[in-house]
Every structure is written in structure tokens, then in C-alpha cells.
């Protein structure tokens, strides 16, 4: 697919352990010629973890994309009227974000961006990373599976013995999922084997 002239919204939420997998996927879009607009949840702005500092991740996003980060609900709201984004990726998409999106809650820049994209009937691609994907969050994932214009990066159990309810997407399939989503299709197979014993 030719990404020249396409604008990708790339939103990150607080599954910090997957950021190292996600950053190269953002670079892929840039290398392919897309404009990438970075969007972050409030957690990204305020939380340092053993996986890196908030400042470090924000700096990487700015360096890779060459664009300022959308980091407030106010700044995300114009994405609707402007119809800026061809596709919106939420990667990683935590269980918290998944549950709020499934229940029409808009309390972060990422969720406002998703609401704006859905208003425009344009694709939203979710790369889930949640410890309760096969627990309480299963019903929220199910709601989103049948929601128009929402697509999933193929996902599977990442640690079925240690964390039997945990689901994580194959982050390296984000671009391929977006390409299918722009054609109105879900990349298949969607449910995959992803073991890390």
C-alpha cells in the first residue's frame, strides 16, 4: 500500500511493557511516507516505570514522528471536524481504554481521538494489551469486535500459564492491520497463538 499522503493517528496508552515493541511500528509508517500524529493518554504523560521514563517515551515519539504530541482532550477534539486522520491506531490499547471505549466514555485524549474518528466513520485499529482480556474485559472486547469501523491487530494469550486471562496483540502486524482496515476488512486470522512461557 502507498502511505504517501496518508495521515495516521498513533495513540499510546499505559501498557508500558509493550512500548519497545510499538515504537518501531510507528517508524514503519514514517518510513513508508505517512504523516504520523502522536496521541497519548494521561498515564504516558505522568508515569515513569522500569520500562522507561515518561520524558524518554515522549521524546522518542516526537523524534520519530517530527510532530507535537496531542496530550489533552481539548487538543484531540478538533480531529473530528478536521477529518485529519485516515486511520487511528491505539497501540498498546489497555484493558482500561478498551472498557471505556466499549462503554462510550471519553475522558482522555486517546478516547476523544477515537470518538472523533468513529464520528467520521473512519477506521480505528486496536492493538490490545490487557491482563484481563479473557476475564471481565472479555465482554468489552466482544462489544468492540462487532462495532462498525473498529478493527483488531491479531492477538493471543501471551502467558497462558502464568496469566491465563492476558491477551496481547502482535505489534508487528499493526501496519498490515491498518492496510486491511482502510479497505474495510479485518486482518485474518485475528485470534492467534502468541505464547511466551
Amino acid at each position: 500500500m502507498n502511505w504517501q499522503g496518508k495521515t495516521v493517528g498513533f495513540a499510546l496508552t499505559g501498557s508500558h511493557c509493550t512500548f519497545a515493541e510499538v515504537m518501531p511500528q510507528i517508524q514503519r509508517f514514517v518510513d513508508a511516507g505517512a504523516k504520523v500524529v502522536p496521541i497519548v493518554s494521561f498515564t504516558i504523560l505522568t508515569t515513569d516505570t522500569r520500562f522507561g521514563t515518561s520524558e524518554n517515551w515522549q521524546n522518542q515519539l516526537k523524534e520519530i514522528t517530527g510532530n507535537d504530541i496531542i496530550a489533552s482532550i481539548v487538543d484531540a477534539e478538533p480531529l473530528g471536524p478536521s477529518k485529519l486522520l485516515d486511520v487511528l491506531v491505539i497501540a498498546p490499547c489497555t484493558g482500561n481504554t478498551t472498557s471505556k471505549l466499549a462503554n462510550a466514555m471519553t475522558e482522555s485524549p486517546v478516547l476523544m481521538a477515537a470518538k472523533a474518528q468513529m464520528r467520521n466513520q473512519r477506521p480505528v485499529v486496536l492493538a490490545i494489551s490487557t491482563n484481563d482480556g479473557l476475564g471481565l474485559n472479555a465482554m468489552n472486547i466482544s462489544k468492540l469486535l462487532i462495532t462498525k469501523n473498529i478493527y483488531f491487530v491479531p492477538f493471543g494469550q501471551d502467558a497462558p500459564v502464568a496469566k491465563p486471562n492476558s491477551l496481547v496483540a502482535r505489534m508487528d502486524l499493526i501496519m498490515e492491520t491498518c492496510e486491511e482496515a482502510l479497505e474495510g476488512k479485518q486482518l485474518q486470522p485475528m485470534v492467534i497463538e502468541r505464547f511466551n512461557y
Side-chain angles (χ1 to χ4, degrees), residues 134-150:
L134 294 176
L136 285 175
N137 227 339
M139 62 181 172
N140 296 312
I141 292 171
S142 296
K143 285 173 72 173
L144 294 171
L145 283 171
I146 59 170
T147 301
K148 187 177 180 182
N149 297 317
I150 290 186

Side-chain angles (χ1 to χ4, degrees), residues 44-72:
I44 310 301
L45 294 176
T46 59
T47 307
D48 296 339
T49 72
R50 63 190 173 97
F51 300 103
T53 65
S54 168
E55 182 179 14
N56 174 59
W57 293 120
Q58 290 182 63
N59 286 340
Q60 282 194 51
L61 279 173
K62 291 176 186 175
E63 288 170 13
I64 293 169
T65 66
N67 290 308
D68 291 333
I69 296 171
I70 292 178
S72 73

Side-chain angles (χ1 to χ4, degrees), residues 43-188:
T43 302
I44 310 301
L45 294 176
T46 59
T47 307
D48 296 339
T49 72
R50 63 190 173 97
F51 300 103
T53 65
S54 168
E55 182 179 14
N56 174 59
W57 293 120
Q58 290 182 63
N59 286 340
Q60 282 194 51
L61 279 173
K62 291 176 186 175
E63 288 170 13
I64 293 169
T65 66
N67 290 308
D68 291 333
I69 296 171
I70 292 178
S72 73
I73 292 173
V74 171
D75 288 340
E77 192 278 333
L79 293 172
S82 70
K83 298 185 178 181
L84 176 67
L85 307 179
D86 293 291
V87 61
L88 172 67
V89 179
I90 305 178
C93 184
T94 60
N96 186 43
T97 299
T98 302
S99 65
K100 290 176 181 176
L101 181 59
N103 290 284
M105 297 174 67
T106 308
E107 50 75 72
S108 77
V110 172
L111 290 163
M112 176 56 79
K115 177 182 177 181
Q117 188 76 347
M118 292 170 72
R119 165 184 137 162
N120 291 331
Q121 299 184 40
R122 293 183 176 181
V124 176
V125 171
L126 307 179
I128 59 172
S129 180
T130 171
N131 284 327
D132 69 340
L134 294 176
L136 285 175
N137 227 339
M139 62 181 172
N140 296 312
I141 292 171
S142 296
K143 285 173 72 173
L144 294 171
L145 283 171
I146 59 170
T147 301
K148 187 177 180 182
N149 297 317
I150 290 186
Y151 304 89
F152 282 79
V153 177
F155 60 86
Q157 290 178 280
D158 59 307
V161 174
K163 300 187 297 179
N165 288 342
S166 182
L167 295 174
V168 178
R170 275 267 309 270
M171 301 302 173
D172 60 318
L173 293 176
I174 289 173
M175 179 178 277
E176 290 77 6
T177 306
C178 289
E179 290 173 351
E180 291 293 296
L182 284 165
E183 298 292 328
K185 300 174 186 175
Q186 170 64 54
L187 182 65
Q188 298 291 345

Side-chain angles (χ1 to χ4, degrees), residues 21-43:
E21 289 181 66
V22 168
M23 291 297 171
Q25 307 314 312
I26 301 173
Q27 186 69 59
R28 284 183 71 195
F29 284 107
V30 173
D31 292 345
K35 175 184 177 181
V36 178
V37 177
I39 306 160
V40 298
S41 68
F42 297 129
T43 302

